[in-house]
Amino acid sequence: SKVSGMFDMRKLFKSTWSRLVLLAAITLAVTSVARLVYSSMVWNNNVRQITELNLRTLHRAEAAVDYAVDTLASLQLSGLVSCDAKALEEIRRISFLRGSIKDIQVLDASHGLLCAGGQISRQLGVANFDFSEMYAARDENIFFHDITRNNSGILGVARHIDAETTFLAVLNLDSLLFGIFPEAVRNHARADLVMGGEVEVASQIPDGVNDQDVASFKEFRAVSDRYPLEVVFTLDADILRTWNRDAQRFVDDFSLVLGLLLGWMALVKLAQPRSLYRRMKDALRRREFVPFMQPTFSVEGRRIIGCEVLARWVQADGTIVPPHKFIPFAEDNGLIVPMTRMIIRAALEQLREQMKADKDFKVAFNVVPSDLLSDRFEKDLVQIVQEVGVARRQIVIEITERQEFADQEKARSAIARLRELGFRVALDDTGVGHNGLSNVHLLGADIIKIDKIFVDRVGVDASATTIVQMLVRLARELGMRTVAEGIETEEQLAHLVRCDVDEGQGYLISRPVPVGEFLGVLAQNRNADRSARPEADGAGESETVAA
Ligand code: C2E
Ligand code: CA
Ligand code: CA
């Protein structure tokens, strides 16, 4: 589980060297991830850049062809479709002026040369071409021809005028392909202008680079949708990895620092004890909050008539944490609610048989005011009691008077509702808080608990005795019972009997103990009670049952 995982982590990284290993591992992980991320950024960026260059090259080739196609169209429109002097002069003018157009020729029906702008065409052998291979453009009057078949950058763009006549523009696109690659890429990249998907019309091949030298290539391809042309770049894949990688140093240094920082933070985190909150949450999950029980007994007969349930946090290593170390904190952060439910359910389940066997046996629970005043408490209590299957009248809810109730009226009505439902309510720590005794009658409880601070000094200090007497009288008047807490000595007990207190609780009879021990104390008490009864000649004679 997550919990044990957490524990293992702390145990695992206890020694110095294991912590160093953790630090190294985190640093290594961070630097590796940073490297990977940076590599993929560089790669993607380079791919994007090359793709753009590729497309731009194609556009330039297309633009040159557009120019030639326009030129042929305008020649036709001007009526210059013959080989007369005027037409030839215009053709020569165009060939001279227009960059990539090297010549314009007029061909007959069988593609024989009728005339050409430049004599030079014929001399260079760029006339009477082989027209067997032609590639159609989107415009159905336009055809492309590989007229030189030697990858010279020369290509022919033909325009069919009529059945008798064809215009042919001889283009040189070679220069277009030069100089597009940035310096760093140039020697590792090849560029081809491909016609009809098969014929290389023009190529730029870097010097001194042998195909065999390169482990892997990446190909970029931009295809024209108007003309049977495409531009293909073939790149050494290494270039895509290394080009534009200037920030590598920075990334390495930065990720090293980041990795060390994160590793250090992990170590700090491991060194910290887990927060009390986390530990309590885990404790709840593992049911480490356990009900201990302390008997309540009649001060006269010392007969155990019930118990108070007191929470203990029994940790995995056996340490028992007392309630003052976690109850106030749990109240602040709300964990008191699930904790109280857990304690109540567990205690009732453990005492169910006893409660059924003895219908007068009472079990008291402590509930913090904030919980009592929430709407959930009453519902939860009713549900738990019903699910466990015990009687409500055997359950006492102790409410501390120590802190002032934020809302006196709400407290009063919460108590009233609990009593209507059949539960009993005890005022804990009565007279200790700031309220004095003024609230006792307003809150309307069944039981007044007389605090240990008065019990400690009863019979020693006159004012303590007076307070105990007052509390007892107040209880009588309001029809309440009294329970004196923290009785440690026989003297105290004797004084409390004299003060007419009803019930007692204290180390004199038993400390709070787990259920097994409690049932043992209870059984002993019942036996003593039975054996004492025949001689029943007075209270206080039966044997003390101490744990
Ligand atoms: P409390 O409700 O006034 O409980 C009585 C306290 O007095 C208990 O302390 C009990 O162990 C102690 N005590 C009883 N007899 C003697 C005695 O003869 N001598 C001495 N020295 N002490 C005695 P504990 O169990 O440590 O509980 C302390 C307080 O924590 C309780 O005071 C109660 O306010 C709170 N508490 C305990 N369990 C719970 C719980 O489940 N829920 C809530 N909300 N509060 C709890
Ligand atoms: Ca109590
Ligand atoms: Ca108390």
Side-chain angles (χ1 to χ4, degrees):
S1 78
K2 209 178 144 203
V3 179
S4 59
M6 204 52 212
F7 268 81
D8 289 344
M9 280 283 273
R10 272 157 209 283
K11 276 191 196 131
L12 197 60
F13 296 108
K14 230 169 184 165
S15 68
T16 309
W17 70 263
S18 68
R19 291 190 171 192
L20 283 176
V21 168
L22 179 69
L23 180 66
I26 289 175
T27 308
L28 190 70
V30 170
T31 48
S32 310
V33 168
R35 243 170 196 272
L36 267 169
V37 169
Y38 182 57
S39 292
S40 91
M41 275 171 56
V42 167
W43 175 276
N44 290 339
N45 182 44
N46 287 346
V47 164
R48 199 170 46 240
Q49 248 176 290
I50 298 288
T51 304
E52 207 165 287
L53 280 177
N54 191 209
L55 203 62
R56 223 163 63 209
T57 310
L58 178 72
H59 288 161
R60 286 165 74 180
E62 281 179 336
V65 173
D66 286 342
Y67 198 38
V69 168
D70 281 355
T71 303
L72 296 183
S74 64
L75 273 177
Q76 183 186 3
L77 279 176
S78 336
L80 300 170
V81 289
S82 62
C83 279
D84 63 22
K86 196 174 165 229
L88 277 176
E89 195 190 315
E90 178 62 11
I91 286 169
R92 282 192 192 106
R93 200 177 64 79
I94 290 168
S95 310
F96 182 73
L97 289 177
R98 301 199 165 178
S100 54
I101 301 177
K102 293 302 165 202
D103 194 12
I104 292 175
Q105 304 176 352
V106 184
L107 311 178
D108 63 17
S110 56
H111 292 142
L113 181 68
L114 294 177
C115 62
Q119 231 15 59
I120 193 100
S121 300
R122 223 182 286 263
Q123 289 165 11
L124 289 176
V126 283
N128 290 327
F129 307 116
D130 179 357
F131 284 98
S132 53
E133 304 282 358
M134 59 167 144
Y135 305 97
R138 200 171 60 191
D139 177 342
E140 52 203 21
N141 287 318
I142 307 293
F143 293 92
F144 282 58
H145 302 275
D146 176 25
I147 49 181
T148 60
R149 307 237 158 150
N150 65 358
N151 198 355
S152 60
I154 306 282
L155 70 110
V157 177
R159 182 181 177 90
H160 287 262
I161 308 297
D162 52 39
E164 298 301 308
T165 323
T166 298
F167 274 176
L168 179 73
V170 178
L171 299 183
N172 181 6
L173 295 185
D174 206 8
S175 57
L176 282 170
L177 296 171
F178 292 124
I180 39 154
F181 289 120
E183 191 66 35
V185 178
R186 188 164 304 151
N187 291 330
H188 307 273
R190 174 188 168 129
D192 292 294
L193 178 67
V194 177
M195 187 191 290
E198 52 185 5
V199 180
E200 284 163 3
V201 180
S203 297
Q204 179 193 279
I205 301 166
D207 303 330
V209 171
N210 200 325
D211 284 3
Q212 278 95 328
D213 294 346
V214 178
S216 68
F217 289 99
K218 180 125 174 74
E219 200 180 76
F220 295 79
R221 203 173 270 271
V223 182
S224 168
D225 55 1
R226 284 181 287 143
Y227 303 124
L229 292 177
E230 58 195 301
V231 173
V232 182
F233 288 175
T234 312
L235 245 63
D236 178 350
D238 254 359
I239 272 297
L240 292 170
R241 280 183 209 108
T242 53
W243 183 38
N244 289 334
R245 211 186 167 96
D246 315 323
Q248 183 69 55
R249 267 302 297 250
F250 172 76
V251 169
D252 284 350
D253 293 353
F254 180 76
S255 63
L256 181 69
V257 170
L258 186 71
L260 286 169
L261 192 73
L262 287 177
W264 180 74
M265 276 163 64
L267 290 186
V268 167
K269 189 96 194 113
L270 276 177
Q272 272 172 0
R274 279 180 328 135
S275 73
L276 182 55
Y277 180 76
R278 282 242 53 88
R279 279 166 53 217
M280 282 190 72
K281 281 209 79 122
D282 291 346
L284 272 170
R285 211 164 5 203
R286 292 193 258 173
R287 314 198 155 272
E288 286 180 1
F289 296 104
V290 172
F292 272 40
M293 292 138 197
Q294 183 177 38
T296 49
F297 56 91
S298 63
V299 288
E300 251 167 298
R302 299 192 188 197
R303 180 184 156 84
I304 294 177
I305 52 181
C307 68
E308 177 177 2
V309 172
L310 293 156
R312 294 291 181 272
W313 180 358
V314 182
Q315 294 183 329
D317 62 359
T319 319
I320 295 180
V321 183
H324 73 264
K325 293 230 175 108
F326 60 89
I327 298 272
F329 184 71
E331 193 176 0
D332 286 347
N333 63 31
L335 290 179
I336 191 75
V337 173
M339 203 204 77
T340 303
R341 309 300 183 269
M342 181 180 290
I343 295 280
I344 293 177
R345 185 183 291 275
L348 290 179
E349 277 167 359
Q350 291 168 3
L351 294 171
R352 177 169 39 208
E353 295 316 310
Q354 174 59 32
M355 291 171 82
K356 291 209 152 144
D358 178 356
K359 289 290 179 195
D360 290 325
F361 188 89
K362 306 226 169 23
V363 180
F365 294 100
N366 294 283
V367 176
V368 297
S370 60
D371 193 6
L372 177 83
L373 296 186
S374 76
D375 305 325
R376 284 170 57 187
F377 178 72
E378 186 189 300
K379 278 185 224 131
D380 289 353
L381 181 65
V382 167
Q383 190 186 344
I384 293 169
V385 166
Q386 191 187 333
E387 280 169 13
V388 178
V390 289
R392 291 177 189 168
R393 54 173 292 277
Q394 291 180 264
I395 291 167
V396 181
I397 300 303
E398 296 193 3
I399 299 154
T400 184
E401 261 260 87
R402 227 170 259 276
Q403 310 118 336
E404 207 163 356
F405 279 108
D407 185 341
Q408 188 80 23
E409 177 50 33
K410 208 167 172 195
R412 203 194 57 73
S413 70
I415 291 171
R417 266 203 316 280
L418 282 175
R419 296 179 72 203
E420 269 162 39
L421 287 167
F423 299 104
R424 283 160 208 252
V425 176
L427 291 186
D428 208 348
D429 314 318
T430 316
V432 175
H434 353 243
N435 310 329
L437 301 178
S438 57
N439 285 329
V440 172
H441 72 286
L442 291 175
L443 289 171
D446 303 276
I447 298 159
I448 287 178
K449 294 200 80 170
I450 301 171
D451 197 78
K452 185 171 180 303
I453 59 166
F454 305 122
V455 172
D456 277 346
R457 282 150 49 206
V458 77
V460 180
D461 171 344
S463 66
T465 313
T466 307
I467 289 174
V468 173
Q469 285 166 342
M470 261 179 52
L471 285 169
V472 171
R473 201 157 48 229
L474 183 66
R476 292 280 171 276
E477 265 164 37
L478 297 172
M480 300 166 84
R481 288 177 69 77
T482 47
V483 179
E485 283 187 317
I487 308 170
E488 293 181 344
T489 68
E490 290 292 346
E491 289 75 29
Q492 288 168 350
L493 184 59
H495 282 293
L496 293 167
V497 170
R498 233 169 283 140
C499 289
D500 211 15
V501 166
D502 299 308
E503 295 167 28
Q505 190 182 337
Y507 291 179
L508 182 63
I509 295 295
S510 168
R511 288 174 175 264
V513 288
V515 65
E517 238 175 285
F518 173 73
L519 292 175
V521 170
L522 183 62
Q524 243 182 304
N525 178 264
R526 288 283 186 273
N527 285 337
D529 199 34
R530 229 188 329 270
S531 55
R533 196 140 291 180
E535 304 124 47
D537 115 313
E541 290 298 315
S542 56
E543 232 179 302
T544 297
V545 182

